[in-house]
C-alpha cells in the first residue's frame, strides 16, 4: 500500500514538472484593452479585467447643407433669412438596442446645443448594438421634480448656465429655440421678427431612434454620430404667421406639436 | 530580544496599589489618547436646532429629510432672504416684497422687480408656509423650495439665474464658509441656496395672535366681546367664511374663483392646468395677520378689510367659475364691525417684531 502511494506520488511529481517544463508559454491577460494587459503573456488565461466600456455621441449642427452656428444667418427654402440665438434640447432615457433587447443608460441626461459636438454618454456594457434610442425631453418624475436638488454639474440642474425651465409650473423646456426670422409679407430680406419655440410638457416628449452598427468591445469605446438639422422644423411652416413663429407650448399647442413631431426628422444618423 | 514585561504583580487586582493613585491615572492616559485616532472622526456635536413656537393642537410641520432646521441653516437662509445679491442689479431682496412689518407681504398692489419692472400679482404673505401644499397664486409649484426659484429667476422680479448667483457668492469667502457649515455635503450650490431659504421661511411661524391665545392657550379674555361675536359670524353658515378660510391657518387646500370679475385679466390656476374651468381661480390664501397685509386679493385690488367683507356680502360678480359658497349675506352694521374686529385679532404682534426673523 505504501509503495503504491509513493509510486503515484512519483508519477504526479513527474507530471507536474513535465507541464512546467513544456510550458515556456507565459499565461496572463493578452487583451490590450484590459486593465491588466500583460505584454509578456502569450496565452490568454481568462484573467483579463476591464474598465467599463464607454460611449460617445458625436453631433453635427446643421441648417440644410450648411453647418449651423449660433448667430449666423441662413436662408429658408422660401428664401427668407433666419438666425438663431438659442437652439437647445434635453435628451434622456438613452437606450442601446441589441438582438437580445434594450439596455438603459441609467440616469444619463444631456442637453444638446450646437457647440456640443461631442457628448460623453458614460459607461455602457460591451456588446453588439443595432440602434441608439433616446427621448427629446425629460421623464415626468424629473420634469416635476426640484431642479435644485441635482448636483450643480448635472445637465438638469438649476445651476446650469443653460437651464431651460418654466420656474412657475415646474417643467423643463424640452427644446428652446430663439432667433430672428424675416416674417414680413412680402419678405424684405431682413430677419427681424421674433422666433421663439419653447417646447415642453410630457405631450411633447418624443423618442428618437438612431440605427447603428456598433460593436463595443470589453474595455473599449463606441461612437455614434448624429446630425441635427434645424431646417427640418420649417417644413410646412408659414413664418409670416406669428402662430408659426412663437409658442410657449400651452399657448400655441399646434406649433408645439408640429415641432415635436419633427424631432425625428431633424435628429438623424450621420 | 527581551519580551519580558516589567514585574507588576498587583496591576490586575485593582485592590492593592503599589503606586500612588495619581500615577495610576497617568497610566491610563495613553489609552484615552489612542481612542481618537481609531475613531478617525471627532465626536459630532449635535447641531443647535431652531425650536418653533407652535402651540399644542397644531399638527407637526413636515420637514424635508436632510434639511432639518438647524440654527446655522436658518441663519444662512435669513442672510440670503435679506441680501439683494440675489437680484440682477443687487437692489432688491426677498424682503423688498415680503416685509416683516407687513406680515411678510408688500404694501403695493403689485410689487416692482429690478428696474421697476411690474409683475401682475400681489406679493403673498409668508406665514406658516411649512403647512402649505401648493405655492404661488396659481399653485404652479408644489414645494417652498420650488416656489422660491420663481421670484429669483423671473424677469420682472429678481431676474437672476442660479449660475450667476453662485458665481457671485463664491467670491465671498464668508458666504462660502457659511454654506459649507450649513450643508457640509453640498456646500455652496443651488441645493443649499434653496434649502437654506426654505429653512428660514419655515421659521416664519405665527401662533401668537389674540385668536391663538383664545383658542390654543385658553385665554378667554384674549378676544374682546366684539371679536368673539365676529368669530361666531366667521364660522357661521350665514357668512361661509370658514368653509374656505378654515383650520389653524385660515385657509384650505385648493383654488377658488371668488367672484371678483366677470372677465379676468389673469387666468390664474388655468395658466397651469389649461382648464377653462380653472379660469380666475387662485390659491385660497391664509388670513393670518390679515390686518397688516393690505392690499388684498390676487391683484391687490382691495385696500381695506371693510371692502373685502362688503365684496363677499354682495355675492361677487357671478363668474361661471365662481365658488358656490359665495352667494352673499346680510350683516347689521354691528355685525360687520364684529367680523372685521375678529379679523384684526389674527394679527400676531410678536411675529411682526420678532428679532429672529429680522435682518
Amino acid at each position: 500500500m505504501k509503495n503504491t502511494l509513493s509510486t503515484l506520488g512519483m508519477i504526479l511529481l513527474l507530471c507536474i514538472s513535465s507541464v512546467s517544463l513544456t510550458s515556456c508559454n507565459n499565461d496572463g491577460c493578452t487583451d490590450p484593452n484590459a486593465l491588466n494587459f500583460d505584454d509578456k503573456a502569450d496565452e490568454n488565461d481568462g484573467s483579463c479585467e476591464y474598465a467599463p466600456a464607454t460611449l460617445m455621441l458625436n453631433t453635427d449642427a446643421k441648417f440644410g447643407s450648411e453647418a449651423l452656428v449660433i448667430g449666423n444667418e441662413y436662408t429658408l427654402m422660401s428664401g427668407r433669412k433666419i438666425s438663431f440665438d438659442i437652439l437647445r434640447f434635453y435628451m434622456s432615457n438613452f437606450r442601446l438596442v441589441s438582438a437580445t433587447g434594450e439596455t438603459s443608460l441609467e440616469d444619463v441626461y444631456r442637453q444638446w446645443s450646437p457647440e456640443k459636438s461631442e457628448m460623453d454618454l458614460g459607461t455602457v456594457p460591451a456588446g453588439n448594438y443595432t440602434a441608439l434610442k433616446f427621448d427629446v425631453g425629460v421623464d415626468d418624475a424629473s420634469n416635476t421634480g426640484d431642479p435644485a436638488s441635482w448636483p450643480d454639474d448635472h445637465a438638469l440642474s438649476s445651476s446650469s448656465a443653460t437651464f431651460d425651465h418654466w420656474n412657475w409650473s415646474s417643467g423643463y423646456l424640452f427644446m428652446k429655440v430663439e432667433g430672428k426670422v424675416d416674417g414680413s409679407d412680402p419678405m424684405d430680406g431682413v430677419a427681424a421678427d421674433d422666433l421663439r419655440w419653447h417646447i415642453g410638457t410630457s405631450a411633447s416628449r418624443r423618442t428618437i431612434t438612431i440605427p447603428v452598427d456598433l460593436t463595443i468591445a470589453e474595455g473599449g469605446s463606441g461612437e455614434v454620430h448624429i446630425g441635427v438639422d434645424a431646417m427640418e422644423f420649417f417644413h410646412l411652416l408659414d413664418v409670416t404667421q406669428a402662430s408659426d413663429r412663437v409658442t410657449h407650448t400651452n399657448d400655441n399647442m399646434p406649433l408645439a406639436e408640429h415641432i415635436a413631431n419633427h424631432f425625428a426628422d431633424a435628429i438623424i444618423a450621420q | 530580544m527581551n519580551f519580558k514585561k516589567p514585574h507588576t504583580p498587583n496591576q490586575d487586582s485593582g485592590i492593592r496599589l503599589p503606586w500612588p493613585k495619581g500615577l495610576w491615572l497617568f497610566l491610563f492616559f495613553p489609552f484615552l489618547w489612542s481612542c481618537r485616532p481609531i475613531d478617525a472622526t471627532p465626536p459630532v456635536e449635535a447641531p443647535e436646532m431652531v425650536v418653533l413656537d407652535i402651540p399644542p393642537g397644531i399638527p407637526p410641520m413636515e420637514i424635508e429629510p436632510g434639511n432639518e432646521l438647524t440654527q446655522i441653516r436658518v441663519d444662512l437662509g435669513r442672510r440670503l432672504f435679506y441680501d439683494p445679491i440675489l437680484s440682477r442689479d443687487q437692489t432688491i431682496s426677498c424682503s423688498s416684497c415680503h416685509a416683516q412689518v407687513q406680515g411678510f407681504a408688500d404694501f403695493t398692489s403689485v410689487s416692482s422687480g429690478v428696474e421697476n419692472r411690474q409683475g401682475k400679482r400681489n406679493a403673498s404673505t409668508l406665514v406658516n408656509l411649512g403647512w402649505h401644499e401648493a405655492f404661488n397664486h396659481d399653485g404652479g409649484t408644489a414645494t417652498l423650495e420650488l416656489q422660491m426659484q420663481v421670484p429669483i429667476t423671473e424677469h420682472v422680479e429678481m431676474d437672476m439665474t442660479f449660475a450667476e448667483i453662485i458665481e457671485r457668492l463664491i467670491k465671498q469667502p464668508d458666504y462660502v464658509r457659511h454654506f459649507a457649515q450649513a450643508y457640509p455635503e453640498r456646500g455652496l450650490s443651488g441645493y443649499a441656496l434653496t434649502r437654506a431659504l426654505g429653512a428660514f421661511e419655515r421659521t416664519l411661524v405665527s401662533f401668537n395672535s389674540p385668536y391663538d391665545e383664545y383658542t390654543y392657550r385658553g385665554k378667554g379674555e384674549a378676544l374682546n366681546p366684539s371679536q368673539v361675536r365676529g368669530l361666531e359670524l366667521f364660522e357661521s353658515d350665514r357668512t361661509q367664511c370658514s368653509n374656505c378660510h378654515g383650520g389653524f391657518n385660515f385657509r384650505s387646500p385648493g383654488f377658488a374663483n371668488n367672484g371678483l370679475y366677470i372677465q379676468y385679466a389673469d387666468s390664474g390656476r388655468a395658466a397651469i392646468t389649461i382648464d377653462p374651468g380653472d379660469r380666475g381661480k387662485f390659491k385660497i390664501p391664509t388670513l393670518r395677520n390679515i390686518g397688516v397685509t393690505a392690499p388684498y386679493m390676487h391683484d391687490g385690488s382691495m385696500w381695506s378689510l371693510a371692502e373685502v367683507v362688503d365684496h363677499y356680502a354682495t355675492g361677487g360678480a357671478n363668474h361661471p367659475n365662481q365658488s358656490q359658497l359665495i352667494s352673499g349675506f346680510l350683516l347689521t352694521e354691528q355685525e360687520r364691525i364684529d367680523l372685521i374686529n375678529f379679523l384684526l385679532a389674527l394679527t400676531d404682534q410678536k411675529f411682526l417684531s420678532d428679532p429672529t426673523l429680522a435682518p
Side-chain angles (χ1 to χ4, degrees), chain B residues 102-118:
Chain B
Q102 300 275 139
F104 291 94
D106 202 356
F107 59 88
T108 59
S109 296
V110 173
S111 304
S112 304
V114 293
E115 296 175 2
N116 269 322
R117 291 175 199 158
Q118 295 291 298

Side-chain angles (χ1 to χ4, degrees), chain A residues 146 148-150 152 158 167-168, chain B residues 149 153 162 186 189 191 195:
Chain A
D146 184 348
S149 61
W150 296 105
D152 280 1
S158 50
N167 53 35
W168 43 267
Chain B
Q149 297 176 43
T153 58
F162 275 41
R186 303 288 285 256
S189 58
Y191 171 84
R195 268 55 189 179

